Amino acid sequence: MSTAVLLIDVQQSFTARPYWDPAAAPGFLARVNALVSGAAERGLPVVRILHTDGPKTADNPFALESGLVRPLDGLAPYDAAASFLKERHSALVGTGLTVWLHQQGIRRLIVAGIRTEQCCETTTRHASDEGWEVDYVTEATLTFAMTTPAGRTLSPAELYERTETVLAGRFATICSVEEALRRAA
């Protein structure tokens, strides 16, 4: 297969953050689980990428010591083709993922995960610049409201739209789960 799914930061750590919105999780998990299931049916490798940073203490939800750097509750179990820990926004920085993708002959990436406009978008831009074709599956990403420097609150819907706008036609093809899986065939 020349396509791989990058499942970025779909981890329990986020549930310990004040911005976590439990009402948004079921819809997100339904789409991620559909993507993972569809990838398995097609023999596409799914790569697990988890974020870790900050102090290595039990009270930091992004430290291994917290026990929260693990798949998000509700994510269907799957056999990861490879797993990587990252400390930067791009999953391609300092993880060994780039080498693994080249060794596997991967030419197209399907990107999904948490946060839409941060690690998912950054990895997408980086991957595109490195020569991979990228399908960005917004419906299988999750984000949370943010406040602009001017003090305006951007809703998740606005962040999804903004991310799609800056990625589409430049860094990625915006796809639904089903479209991304069809394109991988």
Side-chain angles (χ1 to χ4, degrees):
M1 277 293 157
S2 63
T3 300
V5 175
L6 300 185
L7 203 54
I8 300 171
D9 301 349
V10 183
Q11 65 192 75
Q12 198 63 25
S13 305
F14 285 101
T15 65
R17 290 294 197 218
Y19 51 73
W20 175 253
D21 179 5
F28 162 70
L29 284 166
R31 298 316 297 152
V32 169
N33 287 334
L35 177 61
V36 170
S37 172
E41 290 169 8
R42 290 161 178 78
L44 302 176
V46 178
V47 179
R48 176 181 291 124
I49 301 151
L50 300 175
H51 190 88
T52 180
D53 70 17
K56 296 181 186 314
T57 58
D59 62 338
N60 170 13
F62 287 90
L64 295 174
E65 291 80 359
S66 72
L68 297 174
V69 181
R70 60 177 172 79
L72 182 64
D73 291 349
L75 178 64
Y78 66 94
D79 291 324
S83 295
F84 298 93
L85 291 175
K86 68 179 185 60
E87 295 180 351
R88 301 284 186 252
H89 290 101
S90 173
L92 299 171
V93 174
T95 60
L97 175 58
T98 299
V99 171
W100 185 87
L101 292 169
H102 285 299
Q103 288 173 339
Q104 304 305 309
I106 301 298
R107 294 188 305 273
R108 170 179 281 159
L109 303 173
I110 299 172
V111 173
I114 304 174
R115 292 185 64 167
T116 306
E117 78 294 340
Q118 290 184 33
C119 296
C120 294
E121 180 182 331
T122 302
T123 300
T124 296
R125 287 173 179 255
H126 189 167
S128 174
D129 283 350
E130 293 288 337
W132 280 284
E133 186 174 343
V134 183
D135 289 346
Y136 191 88
V137 185
T138 309
E139 66 182 9
T141 69
L142 182 64
T143 196
F144 314 97
M146 294 178 71
T147 303
T148 70
R152 185 168 89 82
T153 299
L154 297 177
S155 70
E158 289 172 306
L159 291 165
Y160 295 136
E161 180 180 33
R162 179 228 155 261
T163 300
E164 287 182 345
T165 300
V166 299
L167 292 179
R170 295 171 190 86
F171 299 98
T173 300
I174 307 302
C175 295
S176 68
V177 166
E178 292 75 19
E179 289 166 339
L181 292 170
R182 267 195 309 276
R183 285 170 50 86

